Amino acid sequence: MTAVAPPRLPLGGIDRLLARISYGYDPWLRDRAHSLGWTAFLEEQLHPESFPDPRGDAVVARFPTLSMTPRQIWDAYGVNGQHQVPMVELQTATLLRAALSRRQLHERMVEFWGDHFSIDQSDSQASILKTQDDHDVCRAQSLSSFPLILRASARSAAMLFSLGNYRSMASSPNENYGREILELHSLGVGNYTEHDVREAARCLTGWGFLQFGDPNAGTFRFEPSLHDNGPKDLLGLAIPAGGGILDGYKLVRLAALHPATAQRMSRKLCRWFLGAEPQPVVDAASAEWAATEGDLRSVLRIVLAPSSFASVPEGVQKTKRPFHLAAGILRALPFQFPNPTQLAGELAAMGHRPFHWPAPDGYPDAASAWVGGLQGRWSFASRLFANQVSGVRIDVAAVFGTAPKSSWARRAAYALRGPGPLTTDVDAVQQYVDGFASASDALRAETLALTASAPSFQVY
Amino acid sequence: MNPIETHPPIAANRPDRRAFLLGGAAAATALTLPRVTFAAATSSAVDSLVLVFLRGGMDALSFCSPYADPNLQSARPGIAMPGPGLPNGVLYLDSFFGLHPQAAPLMAAYQSGQLLIVHASGSPASSRSHFEAQNRMESGASSQPGLGLSTGWVARHLAVQSGAGVLRGMGTSDTLTRALTGSTGVLPIRQPGQFRMPGATGTAYARRVALDGMYQQASAELASAGRDTFATIDLLGSIDFQNYAPSGGASYPATPFGAQFQDTAALLKANVGVRCVEIDLHGWDHHTNLGAIGGSFAALTSELAQTLAAFRTDMGGAFGGVDVVVMTEFGRRVAPNGNLGLDHGRGGCMILMGGGVAGGRVLTQWPGLAPSQLHDGDLAITIDYRDVLGEMLVRRFGCTNLPDVFPGYTPQFRGVAL
């Protein structure tokens, strides 16, 4: 695809794209976007491996369990009941990578997949296994193709554990995963029958993983003796007897490329990035899904095209989920994290501890689910800027330098949101600042906290 | 299938011999303070629900032991609770069931007809996975699969409640539980005494004025959420949780669970329109060393019973307008495993306590403990948990949309509510 003329940009220009494919403002990414232009910038973000990411890498290096196999995590923490260690490391690292990585579109897709293939980490063995799932499924396949990520998820020990498939056998098939792979992960409810659920479950019998105690614990394993090798009839396709492991692969491919899946996933991606589901965009993305066999980069080029943004009614905004809010604050400001043990708990207090949604459908992507938690957001901002979140230090003074008090609200808004039109929130914050006779560090922190608590910072 | 015998309930207003023999203050109160006073006081009003979810799967056969079941000892070798009168024996409830001795604080409520145990109850679509079983139970989904409910039964009930306050419901966990998810005016508030403007007290008012001004200018959704939040801050700020003194000499255990019940008492007494508070108690997943006598199970049971009893005492007369519902995702297996523990089972029990409860008895259709009567080695479920909740919702909690609360299922009322 070669662009002859620069694309017509929607209102707000490339900052619209930047806001939706990132966790918020930081000077580096904004400069990059503006210097490359829409198409080249999007292309770069669609290929995260093509550019270095030192700060993202530094986060990974800080948390040893991120690079460990399930067996290593089990030996180091599982056997002595320290399941919290790998869980909290993964949660904290996820937030810090969202804040610090330059591969912002990748991180936004990692979050998307984390919810799409939702696994409750607090569910027993998932505490050990989710780290591998995050690495092999949500990250490794974040921008590959849907058949590949669905297949990776189907081979993920964490998924096979949390939906009970690891105990599914020909004599007593467990329909849990067979159902969810159709209902939640691909076609969506209403596009398959109960018969399909049973057949999907039969296709997946024998799909499990090596248990703890095995040297390669957590590795996918197909056990032929547990597999139902009879003929199957799934979504209108006859699957002959004796297919073995191929039955499951056929299911994955059939589900991944089903027209209902293309529609549903296109819609879901539109909602995630555009905050709306304009039917022409959904249709174009679905057609691209069919033409490219679910190639995620190709589909995202459609969803994230300037014309797609232009087709969303003006004024449609998305409400940040608490994770997004926290990542956005940390992203915008200089901070150190010598021992960030409390960050995950802060997310939990806002109801959004990563990988802790108790159902397999993932944290909701709807404002209505989240706006009830404003007090938690305000408390988080207040504690963070007052440096009361242990193990994390925000350099509050650096935001204001020697600027006079009369410009603090603008300074804070610029630091958190970057250049752009001033909202009425800025006046309200400045009015608050003006109410105090003298400058103080406490007032600086409050100025930032109020700016981050303002309604304009809850949306993007 | 196994024949189902109906266990004859003991009429609540006909205290049995045991209650007379006890003769203590509690029993005397039970006899002289007729329940009808409570009922009359609240018959036209809508009760508040305090929901307790025992996470992990509580062992119903230890909590409320069928000591007279002829198969109990053989079905539970080594861990069956001793019968009434024996050392560590259960407390006499009726000629068939006995209450765990650490649950003794609940006897007063039982004897005054305010405590009901619904035995061999649960979800027919139960799963041996905690995760799945809790989710299905809390969503209120039908056993008919594929409904894909992402909201919870409490939330669907609260969402259409008229006359509720700014804060319709409150969960005391970090995040809203599935049961509470999906209604406006329902917030996760771990410590209601801390739900205030954050930061320095000296500047709180000025910051609030600034924020309030900003949220009034915001989009409709954020503006409304801002209003709810400020109203809840005001609401909870008007209640002195810090210096709250329980009435009637009630003493809550010094645990998070106890503290959350004390906060709840303060909140409900303030009568600000809160219709549901959920408080969970974790730790019932006893795969190893059940400890029904002197161990983990006994300690948890004691904490539960002391807390509920303190709450009842504390609420005093107002207890007529409050009903506590205690549930768990499943019961445990009948036979112990090799570690003196119990793996996941099916049938469990629910505990109902309050002025609107037709209590003083154990309600059950006892399925029996003989090998042929068990369901894959578990206590069978003969009462659907939605029968119990559905009746309480309609008769006590002002529910008018029961088909939405439990879609695909029509609860059968079994006389659990007054």
Side-chain angles (χ1 to χ4, degrees):
Chain A
M1 208 177 75
T2 49
V4 181
R8 276 181 65 117
L9 298 189
L11 207 72
I14 197 167
D15 288 331
R16 286 277 296 279
L17 174 71
L18 197 53
R20 293 298 173 81
I21 69 169
S22 76
Y23 286 98
Y25 169 70
D26 86 317
W28 186 88
L29 200 73
R30 185 172 189 278
D31 288 351
R32 190 76 185 156
H34 280 265
S35 67
L36 287 178
W38 193 296
T39 308
F41 174 63
L42 178 56
E43 234 17 73
E44 181 172 272
Q45 285 289 313
L46 284 169
H47 292 90
E49 70 292 347
S50 69
F51 57 95
D53 185 25
R55 293 205 301 175
D57 294 345
V59 172
V60 179
R62 282 284 301 276
F63 299 95
T65 59
L66 260 59
S67 314
M68 290 164 86
T69 64
R71 155 92 197 272
Q72 289 168 329
I73 296 176
W74 176 259
D75 288 349
Y77 302 104
V79 286
N80 49 25
Q82 296 180 292
H83 293 246
Q84 287 297 324
V85 175
M87 290 165 73
V88 172
E89 283 201 355
L90 183 61
Q91 294 153 19
T92 310
T94 302
L95 177 62
L96 292 171
R97 289 167 97 169
L100 294 171
S101 172
R102 288 176 171 174
R103 297 164 176 164
Q104 284 288 291
L105 176 57
H106 167 68
E107 293 298 329
R108 292 280 289 135
M109 285 303 291
V110 168
E111 186 186 359
F112 178 85
W113 295 124
D115 280 320
H116 186 74
F117 296 111
S118 183
I119 289 167
D120 181 358
Q121 206 184 16
S122 67
D123 182 19
S124 178
Q125 294 185 35
S127 58
I128 308 290
L129 297 170
K130 174 59 198 175
T131 302
Q132 171 183 256
D133 180 271
D134 181 72
H135 185 273
D136 292 357
V137 182
C138 302
R139 290 183 176 276
Q141 307 292 342
S142 71
L143 291 160
S144 66
S145 81
F146 193 68
L148 280 181
I149 194 168
L150 189 61
R151 177 184 149 123
S153 174
R155 290 169 53 94
S156 162
M159 182 59 75
L160 292 166
F161 171 78
S162 73
L163 291 179
N165 200 80
Y166 70 116
R167 287 197 283 215
S168 186
M169 54 194 84
S171 57
S172 59
N174 180 328
E175 291 179 2
N176 198 357
Y177 182 45
R179 175 180 309 283
E180 302 305 6
I181 199 172
L182 297 179
E183 176 183 325
L184 296 178
H185 300 165
S186 61
L187 285 77
V189 78
N191 296 306
Y192 55 86
T193 64
E194 282 304 304
H195 175 74
D196 291 323
V197 169
R198 285 190 292 276
E199 294 297 271
R202 291 179 64 215
C203 285
L204 291 166
T205 45
W207 284 50
F209 59 93
L210 295 171
Q211 299 295 304
F212 292 108
D214 188 286
N216 296 308
T219 306
F220 172 74
R221 175 177 168 81
F222 173 70
E223 180 50 59
S225 66
L226 301 180
H227 184 66
D228 179 340
N229 244 333
K232 299 169 189 79
D233 153 34
L234 174 74
L235 297 168
L237 178 81
I239 298 178
I245 191 174
L246 294 181
D247 291 351
Y249 289 137
K250 278 181 183 163
L251 157 67
V252 165
R253 196 171 159 76
L254 202 57
L257 300 179
H258 195 283
T261 303
Q263 272 281 329
R264 176 167 174 265
M265 293 306 296
S266 297
R267 200 170 288 283
K268 199 168 175 179
L269 285 166
C270 283
R271 191 161 62 244
W272 184 250
F273 286 114
L274 304 176
E277 305 163 18
Q279 196 57 46
V281 182
V282 172
D283 289 342
S286 305
E288 188 72 3
W289 188 287
T292 63
E293 298 209 327
D295 181 72
L296 295 167
R297 288 189 179 92
S298 304
V299 172
L300 284 176
R301 283 188 193 102
I302 306 263
V303 172
L304 297 173
S307 58
S308 300
F309 280 85
S311 69
V312 175
E314 210 182 315
V316 169
Q317 288 184 305
K318 287 204 72 174
T319 300
K320 291 174 186 173
R321 307 197 294 182
F323 177 85
H324 197 124
L325 175 81
I329 295 175
L330 293 174
R331 184 163 175 67
L333 297 176
F335 73 102
Q336 281 145 11
F337 50 100
N339 185 25
T341 49
Q342 204 187 317
L343 275 178
E346 292 289 335
L347 291 173
M350 291 188 280
H352 202 190
R353 187 191 283 274
F355 321 120
H356 270 63
W357 183 249
D361 58 351
Y363 282 104
D365 181 23
S368 58
W370 298 104
V371 290
L374 291 177
Q375 194 271 350
R377 294 170 185 238
W378 302 342
S379 297
F380 170 67
S382 173
R383 280 196 297 275
L384 185 70
F385 289 117
N387 281 318
Q388 290 167 353
V389 174
S390 83
V392 180
R393 281 207 79 76
I394 300 252
D395 194 348
V396 170
V399 173
F400 299 97
T402 56
K405 202 160 71 64
S406 58
S407 68
W408 280 8
R410 267 176 293 140
R411 281 275 182 157
Y414 190 93
L416 282 166
R417 305 161 53 87
L422 292 181
T423 60
T424 55
D425 292 352
V426 179
D427 296 333
V429 175
Q430 188 59 47
Q431 222 176 331
Y432 173 77
V433 176
D434 291 344
F436 293 85
S438 54
S440 69
D441 283 345
L443 188 57
R444 288 185 183 89
E446 286 179 343
T447 306
L448 281 166
L450 275 177
T451 305
S453 303
S456 55
F457 199 68
Q458 310 312 309
V459 295
Y460 65 111
Chain B
M1 272 307 287
N2 312 324
I4 289 178
E5 300 163 29
T6 301
H7 183 75
I10 291 177
N13 53 1
R14 196 156 37 79
D16 66 9
R17 191 173 146 268
R18 177 73 182 171
F20 281 108
L21 289 177
L22 268 174
T29 307
L31 296 174
T32 54
L33 239 193
R35 228 184 25 211
V36 79
T37 316
F38 295 115
T42 60
S43 57
S44 59
V46 171
D47 287 2
S48 293
L49 161 67
V50 179
L51 178 66
V52 177
F53 206 106
L54 306 178
R55 305 275 166 188
M58 188 261 256
D59 182 41
L61 293 177
S62 295
F63 185 83
C64 181
S65 176
Y67 67 85
D69 188 300
N71 297 299
L72 177 66
Q73 295 300 330
S74 56
R76 302 208 117 182
I79 61 156
M81 292 299 296
L86 296 170
N88 297 316
V90 295
L91 310 172
Y92 181 91
L93 292 176
D94 61 32
S95 58
F96 194 81
F97 290 107
L99 192 65
H100 192 282
Q102 295 298 327
L106 295 177
M107 284 306 284
Y110 183 82
Q111 284 154 0
S112 61
Q114 290 192 333
L115 187 112
L116 174 74
I117 295 172
V118 185
H119 217 314
S121 58
S123 168
S126 103
S127 154
R128 287 188 199 273
S129 144
H130 296 292
F131 175 77
E132 202 185 344
Q134 289 179 12
N135 273 317
R136 199 169 297 173
M137 199 169 253
E138 292 180 79
S139 74
S142 168
S143 44
Q144 168 199 339
L147 282 173
L149 286 175
S150 63
T151 55
W153 66 271
V154 177
R156 290 194 298 280
H157 159 64
L158 291 179
V160 300
Q161 277 276 291
S162 57
V166 173
L167 185 66
R168 289 158 189 260
M170 182 181 106
T172 55
S173 304
D174 274 346
T175 53
L176 278 186
T177 60
R178 173 53 72 99
L180 294 180
T181 299
S183 170
T184 55
V186 181
L187 298 177
I189 301 176
R190 201 169 172 74
Q191 295 174 297
Q194 308 290 322
F195 196 88
R196 55 167 93 101
M197 276 302 293
T201 325
T203 60
Y205 182 72
R207 281 182 292 114
R208 179 194 167 135
V209 169
L211 271 181
D212 199 1
M214 292 190 263
Y215 274 86
Q216 281 178 27
Q217 307 287 315
S219 68
E221 193 162 31
L222 280 173
S224 150
R227 272 197 306 277
D228 273 5
T229 304
F230 288 120
T232 303
I233 286 174
D234 288 341
L235 183 82
L236 297 178
S238 70
I239 301 168
D240 188 0
F241 292 96
Q242 231 67 44
N243 297 309
Y244 174 74
S247 316
S251 168
Y252 292 91
T255 63
F257 185 68
Q260 285 167 347
F261 255 94
Q262 177 169 320
D263 286 344
T264 300
L267 181 63
L268 294 179
K269 281 185 189 176
N271 197 21
V272 290
V274 174
R275 293 289 172 77
C276 175
V277 178
E278 179 175 345
I279 309 172
D280 292 353
L281 185 58
H282 294 256
W284 298 90
D285 193 18
H286 291 109
H287 287 281
T288 350
N289 297 324
L290 173 69
I293 296 167
S296 169
F297 183 92
L300 276 171
T301 299
S302 170
E303 182 182 358
L304 175 66
Q306 283 183 40
T307 304
L308 293 183
F311 182 65
R312 177 171 176 269
T313 303
D314 189 6
M315 291 306 287
F319 200 58
V322 177
D323 302 300
V324 181
V325 172
V326 183
M327 56 198 289
T328 186
E329 67 261 39
F330 43 56
R332 308 196 73 82
R333 287 184 82 76
V334 173
N337 61 24
N339 306 312
L340 291 177
L342 295 162
D343 295 325
H344 303 172
R346 283 177 62 84
C349 72
M350 298 170 78
I351 307 157
L352 276 62
M353 185 181 83
V357 171
R361 64 204 171 114
V362 179
L363 175 72
T364 188
Q365 288 181 312
W366 190 242
L369 293 174
S372 66
Q373 295 169 320
L374 300 182
H375 185 137
D376 292 338
D378 300 334
L379 181 66
I381 291 168
T382 54
I383 297 182
D384 191 302
Y385 77 104
R386 292 166 298 186
D387 293 351
V388 178
L389 297 180
E391 182 179 344
M392 289 299 289
L393 280 170
V394 168
R395 293 213 172 135
R396 305 305 315 182
F397 304 127
C399 177
T400 52
N401 63 333
L402 198 57
D404 298 330
V405 175
F406 296 120
Y409 183 77
T410 307
Q412 182 187 339
F413 290 5
R414 294 168 182 273
V416 299
L418 287 176

